[in-house]
């Protein structure tokens, strides 16, 4: 039978691995949020540019 300290050491190692995975996940989720915001802003700017570049029909009084 293994001494109790070996189980505790295994627990600490696994806990450290889980903390590292959680940190990686948080960083990846943050990058996705920034990319989504960047894409929405980009498409909004494209839409505004197209509206400015499109000639408006002349008004007939």
């Amino acid at each position: 039978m293994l001494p109790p300290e070996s189980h505790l050491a295994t627990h600490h190692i696994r806990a450290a691995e889980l903390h590292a995975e959680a940190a990686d996940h948080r960083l990846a989720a943050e990058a996705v949020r920034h990319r989504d915001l960047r894409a929405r802003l980009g498409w909004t700017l494209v839409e505004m540019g197209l509206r400015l570049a499109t000639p408006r029909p002349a008004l007939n009084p």
Side-chain angles (χ1 to χ4, degrees):
M1 182 164 199
L2 296 172
E5 296 83 18
S6 64
H7 293 286
L8 185 60
T10 304
H11 168 73
H12 285 298
I13 291 170
R14 181 63 182 145
E17 290 173 350
L18 289 173
H19 282 289
E21 286 179 26
D24 289 345
H25 179 73
R26 278 192 298 274
L27 288 173
E30 178 98 7
V32 168
R33 281 191 295 255
H34 287 301
R35 187 173 55 224
D36 289 344
L37 177 63
R38 184 177 174 186
R40 284 188 306 187
L41 177 62
W43 282 113
T44 301
L45 291 173
V46 167
E47 182 180 354
M48 288 175 56
L50 289 172
R51 286 183 183 190
L52 291 171
T54 304
R56 293 182 182 203
L59 296 176
N60 293 329

